[in-house]
Amino acid sequence: MAMLAERQRKAQITSESYKANFLRSLVDQQHESDSAVCGFDSRLAWPDHVWRQRVEQEAANTDEHNKETTSAVAAAEEPEFSVCQQAPCHKHAKWQELKMQEFEQDRADLFHILARGVRLRNKLKTRIRQRREMIDEGWMSNATIVHTKDAVIK
């Protein structure tokens, strides 16, 4: 159960990294074009499960032969998106900085949760190891307690 949660957290971190890279590419494109339009892409507001599907599809598309067939299927399943083309857009003011801060905060939170899970797992392993070391071979035989007077319990 804990390993499953850890894998899910790692998948979420990968998804957040993918979103941050996408945002960086949008910001770079906007700076290169030197246009005065807003440029906000509605894909940045997609829910996390859609981004996770995109990451999984990208991982599946590593094979060049399957890339053409799966990209056509992926395009059909993708929600629609739009790019804001208004010049003085007040709705998306400073969207680049805000989205980058949001992604970095989410990513930091996920790393914190993952680290906490790893620390908890290490503590449990340590406690299990300590309990196993406490058992003395003479005192415990085949998981039963020896009931003799000369048996010393440590």
Side-chain angles (χ1 to χ4, degrees), residues 39-51:
F40 178 79
D41 195 324
S42 65
R43 290 178 282 190
L44 294 171
W46 279 353
D48 289 337
H49 72 277
V50 175
W51 282 102

Side-chain angles (χ1 to χ4, degrees), residues 5-21:
E6 187 175 326
R7 279 190 225 127
Q8 288 174 343
R9 297 291 183 223
K10 287 181 180 179
Q12 287 175 337
I13 289 171
T14 305
S15 175
E16 289 296 325
S17 298
Y18 189 81
K19 285 194 289 188
N21 289 338

Side-chain angles (χ1 to χ4, degrees), residues 70-94:
T70 55
S71 62
V73 172
E77 296 173 359
E78 241 178 43
E80 293 184 17
F81 66 92
S82 62
V83 178
C84 182
Q85 297 296 325
Q86 296 180 2
C89 182
H90 299 290
K91 183 178 180 181
H92 306 119
K94 297 184 181 180

